Amino acid sequence: MTAIRSIPASSLRTGMFLHKIGGSWLKHPFLRNKFLLTDPEDVRRIIEAGIDEVWIDESRGDPLEMPELVGTDEDAREPFVDTLAESPQLRAAADAPRESRRIVTGPVPLAAELERARSICLTGKAQVQSMFEELRLGNSVRQSDVLPLVEEIASSVWRNPTALISVARLKTHDDYSYLHSVAVSALMLALAKQMGLDEYHTHLAGVGGLMHDLGKAFIPLDVLNKPGKLTDAEFTIMKSHPAAGAQALQDGGAEAGVVDIALHHHEKMNGYGYPHGLKDFEITLLARMGAICDVYDAVTSIRAYKAAWDPAMAMREMARWDGHFDKQVFNAFVKSVGIYPVGALVRLSSQRLAVVAEPGEESLLKPKVRVFYSLRTKEKILVQTIDLAAPGCNDSIIGPEDPEAWDLSNLEVLWL
Ligand SMILES: [Fe+2]
């Protein structure tokens, strides 16, 4: 019998081990999904957030404090475990040998990881560029060639999940094709960790993220780098990159999970994606993850034909696209990157503009921000860091703002 049960939030007590919170992620007051409830204040926050139902893990609760429980085993199934089991490819891969992941003692501060993240971006960009060149010359690329780089990316993400993701987003359109791969790899690793995937599938996610767009090496440069809208004929050419990349990866002996991410990262849940128009769970979990990470990095990056979207606005827009993404995986993605990711421009209730500088430790809605502009006086103000989760802080985020509407650029100087 499973030790995980659903209970009404009103039955929650300290001593219980919180396994999952039900309902909309917008209501979720914590960054962590799973933890032992020791503070009555946390119980109060869950109830006040309007959450009706929670899942608890009886095997991990404090036995001295565990009261009688209600709920059914059927209700308590872990959704990501279900999703994983639906994919024959992942099920088949489950017995495959596992990569050992570097042991990390704990998260390091964002500022301390940013420099290393920058250096990984430089190395990663050069390596991805050389893979593109090899493919254009007709040579093959091997999954094993990128393992040290993926290990470096993973180590950075485990040390601090925000640093590399934030730095890799800041690319010029010339760098896009190469740094996009590094960014997607980092996003995939953070997402895999958030979803609790095992080491083997986490590893596939990181490698697949790095190699997902290699098929673009076969797209003529005038189409790939065209500053304007593609014609129908050009778009048809562009749509050949997933199959071309998958073929190149297969020729180089890449694992099936990595080939699959390359082949299906442009599929959509509603069946309107390409190349195969797969629907719902016909798309594997890794490819559904790839679709989200790919689009997020694409829309938040400067491209030849468009400015970058603000990261928080991208999150809001992507949440509105019905039928594109797996909603459950998207919810996990939001938790891994943040509702207000680092670098997002936000309006505060104090009528000031601020940039998100660091994720909140307890709540996705209360990051550390740097205020720099007063909307009342319409003037720049002395830059100041505010922890919106600090006791006594009365300020809060009203919502994201579009930097273009305020004619703001180089916002990264406020957090980098
Ligand atoms: Fe792509």
Side-chain angles (χ1 to χ4, degrees), residues 56-67:
I56 58 164
D57 185 345
E58 288 180 277
S59 67
R60 299 173 72 184
D62 182 341
L64 294 176
E65 296 200 45
M66 194 61 76

Side-chain angles (χ1 to χ4, degrees), residues 212-213 216 241 265-266 294:
H212 78 284
D213 252 354
K216 285 187 176 168
H241 82 269
H265 67 275
H266 285 288
D294 176 44

Side-chain angles (χ1 to χ4, degrees), residues 87-100:
S87 160
Q89 184 191 341
L90 297 189
R91 218 168 37 224
D95 295 328
R98 296 175 173 193
E99 290 291 318
S100 63

Side-chain angles (χ1 to χ4, degrees), residues 213-240:
D213 252 354
L214 284 180
K216 285 187 176 168
F218 303 104
I219 303 295
L221 290 175
D222 56 335
V223 175
L224 188 63
N225 299 326
K226 185 176 175 183
K229 196 174 182 291
L230 297 181
T231 64
D232 287 348
E234 288 164 341
F235 191 48
T236 302
I237 295 171
M238 189 61 123
K239 285 201 291 189
S240 68

Side-chain angles (χ1 to χ4, degrees), residues 275-294:
H276 295 132
L278 299 182
K279 240 182 151 178
D280 298 323
F281 297 122
E282 289 169 1
I283 313 165
T284 63
L285 176 63
L286 284 172
R288 279 177 271 143
M289 291 164 65
I292 295 168
C293 298
D294 176 44

Side-chain angles (χ1 to χ4, degrees), residues 79-322:
F80 291 129
V81 172
D82 278 354
T83 318
L84 203 61
E86 280 164 31
S87 160
Q89 184 191 341
L90 297 189
R91 218 168 37 224
D95 295 328
R98 296 175 173 193
E99 290 291 318
S100 63
R101 186 185 295 171
R102 191 175 298 179
I103 295 167
V104 174
T105 49
V108 304
L110 177 63
E113 189 57 30
L114 284 174
E115 204 45 52
R116 277 188 285 198
R118 259 201 251 241
S119 132
I120 292 169
C121 280
L122 283 176
T123 324
K125 181 189 151 191
Q127 191 166 345
V128 175
Q129 190 165 7
S130 95
M131 284 195 291
F132 269 66
E133 281 158 11
E134 289 300 322
L135 288 172
R136 283 181 184 133
L137 290 169
N139 298 327
S140 61
V141 295
R142 305 191 68 81
Q143 184 180 323
S144 54
D145 296 339
V146 303
L147 293 188
L149 175 59
V150 172
E151 186 70 14
E152 277 291 299
I153 295 171
S155 300
S156 177
V157 172
W158 309 151
R159 283 192 295 265
N160 186 307
T162 306
L164 187 49
I165 287 170
S166 308
V167 172
R169 186 172 58 74
L170 304 174
K171 45 183 124 28
T172 64
H173 67 80
D174 294 331
D175 289 342
Y176 177 77
S177 295
Y178 313 122
L179 268 179
H180 172 63
S181 304
V182 177
V184 172
S185 178
L187 288 164
M188 289 285 272
L189 287 161
L191 176 57
K193 192 176 187 204
Q194 175 66 44
M195 292 169 63
L197 297 196
D198 63 30
E199 282 189 27
Y200 178 68
H201 294 98
T202 301
H203 162 80
L204 287 180
V207 175
L210 193 73
M211 304 185 99
H212 78 284
D213 252 354
L214 284 180
K216 285 187 176 168
F218 303 104
I219 303 295
L221 290 175
D222 56 335
V223 175
L224 188 63
N225 299 326
K226 185 176 175 183
K229 196 174 182 291
L230 297 181
T231 64
D232 287 348
E234 288 164 341
F235 191 48
T236 302
I237 295 171
M238 189 61 123
K239 285 201 291 189
S240 68
H241 82 269
Q247 187 61 55
L249 286 166
Q250 208 158 24
D251 293 346
E255 283 176 276
V258 174
V259 175
D260 178 62
I261 294 171
L263 186 56
H264 291 133
H265 67 275
H266 285 288
E267 301 286 357
K268 296 181 184 174
M269 294 296 277
N270 56 16
Y272 291 114
Y274 61 88
H276 295 132
L278 299 182
K279 240 182 151 178
D280 298 323
F281 297 122
E282 289 169 1
I283 313 165
T284 63
L285 176 63
L286 284 172
R288 279 177 271 143
M289 291 164 65
I292 295 168
C293 298
D294 176 44
V295 167
Y296 175 77
D297 187 66
V299 298
T300 57
S301 301
I302 298 168
R303 305 289 295 277
Y305 51 87
K306 70 155 192 65
W309 288 9
D310 177 83
M313 295 191 70
M315 250 353 147
R316 193 177 65 180
E317 290 306 310
M318 286 171 70
R320 288 175 179 163
W321 294 352
D322 210 23

